[in-house]
Amino acid sequence: ADRNLRVMPSNVSFVEAAALGCRFTTAYRAVVQQGRIREEGVKVVAIFGCGGLGLSCIMVAKCFGAQRILAVDVNAAALNKAMELGATDVIDAKGNDDEYTRKEVLNLTNNKGADLSIDAAGFASTSENAVYCTRRGGRMVQVGLPIGEKRTPQIPMGLVAGREIEIFGSHGFAANDMPDILELVSRGKLDPKQLVEREVSLEEGAKAIEDMDFGSPLGITMVTRFKEFSRL
């Protein structure tokens, strides 16, 4: 408890605080701590994968002043949501090969690539594309977990060496850093409620978990209603 409990700011709601874990906390570490977006020269960010984690990465990047945020996904609804949350450009990779995605990123960045590329999906192709789309001297962060893939990412180490690209892994979030992200919410810089899709009862929440066998919603389903009952 001494390490993991943190005091919530009085102007942060329970819904806002609950929405932070784990997508926003994971995104914060990837973008801010491992991606070091606060460093001078990090202005263009490319996010590969616009699920819950990727969308959170977009919001955190916007929060820290990224001038251009490129979002890549195969789902039109996810790309529309990405634009709504702060992406400046979107690339629909559905039905297109990796070469198309890489060319589109280069076209949007004056053939330089992104200062910071983040694979938030964890597929072999998104991991590889994130590396290929990183500018010379830039940084690539692997935060999506490539687990259960049919093939492992083939990282072009010659390109990494030639461009002097930094590659960082990112996993989870330390509890003692929670005050930093809570402060962003308290100051109105980050609004996690933008990703709360609906608030449901405990019973409805159980059904929502079962429904995830057939697909995962973009937004968060938050359990906020409970029946009061007595065991007596």
Side-chain angles (χ1 to χ4, degrees), residues 12-213:
V12 175
S13 70
F14 287 116
V15 170
E16 289 171 321
L20 291 175
C22 65
R23 61 182 70 191
F24 279 104
T25 51
T26 302
Y28 182 91
R29 177 158 180 78
V31 175
V32 181
Q33 296 176 331
Q34 298 296 78
R36 303 204 293 272
I37 195 172
R38 287 178 284 199
E39 289 186 359
E40 185 177 355
V42 182
K43 300 177 181 179
V44 180
V45 180
I47 311 292
F48 294 82
C50 297
L53 175 57
L55 292 174
S56 300
C57 286
I58 288 169
M59 293 176 68
V60 173
K62 179 183 177 182
C63 177
F64 280 88
Q67 294 181 6
R68 199 158 190 185
I69 303 172
L70 285 59
V72 183
D73 204 280
V74 297
N75 184 294
L79 292 173
N80 288 336
K81 190 69 174 178
M83 288 292 288
E84 179 185 324
L85 296 175
T88 56
D89 306 270
V90 296
I91 298 170
D92 189 347
K94 185 176 182 180
N96 295 304
D97 59 18
D98 292 335
E99 193 62 31
Y100 168 84
T101 298
R102 297 166 192 173
K103 286 182 178 178
E104 285 297 294
V105 172
L106 289 176
N107 288 339
L108 291 168
T109 58
N110 295 319
N111 288 318
K112 293 180 179 179
D115 303 315
L116 172 61
S117 292
I118 297 177
D119 175 21
F123 298 111
S125 62
T126 53
S127 181
E128 293 159 0
N129 287 340
V131 175
Y132 276 103
C133 294
T134 303
R135 70 161 171 81
R136 182 178 298 277
R139 186 173 298 114
M140 181 270 189
V141 175
Q142 183 68 49
V143 62
L145 296 178
I147 296 175
E149 269 278 85
K150 294 181 180 179
R151 68 178 182 89
T152 57
Q154 302 298 306
I155 303 302
M157 296 309 293
L159 183 73
V160 171
R163 290 187 186 173
E164 296 189 332
I165 295 171
E166 296 180 316
I167 299 179
F168 286 82
S170 186
H171 187 69
F173 180 80
N176 57 0
D177 292 325
M178 184 60 77
D180 295 336
I181 194 167
L182 283 170
E183 183 183 359
L184 293 176
V185 180
S186 177
R187 290 166 48 201
K189 297 273 289 180
L190 182 66
D191 182 10
K193 287 191 73 174
Q194 285 185 285
L195 279 186
V196 177
E197 192 169 276
R198 59 191 182 118
E199 297 183 29
V200 300
S201 68
L202 183 59
E203 292 78 12
E204 290 169 330
K207 179 63 166 59
I209 292 175
E210 293 176 352
D211 290 343
M212 289 182 71
D213 286 339

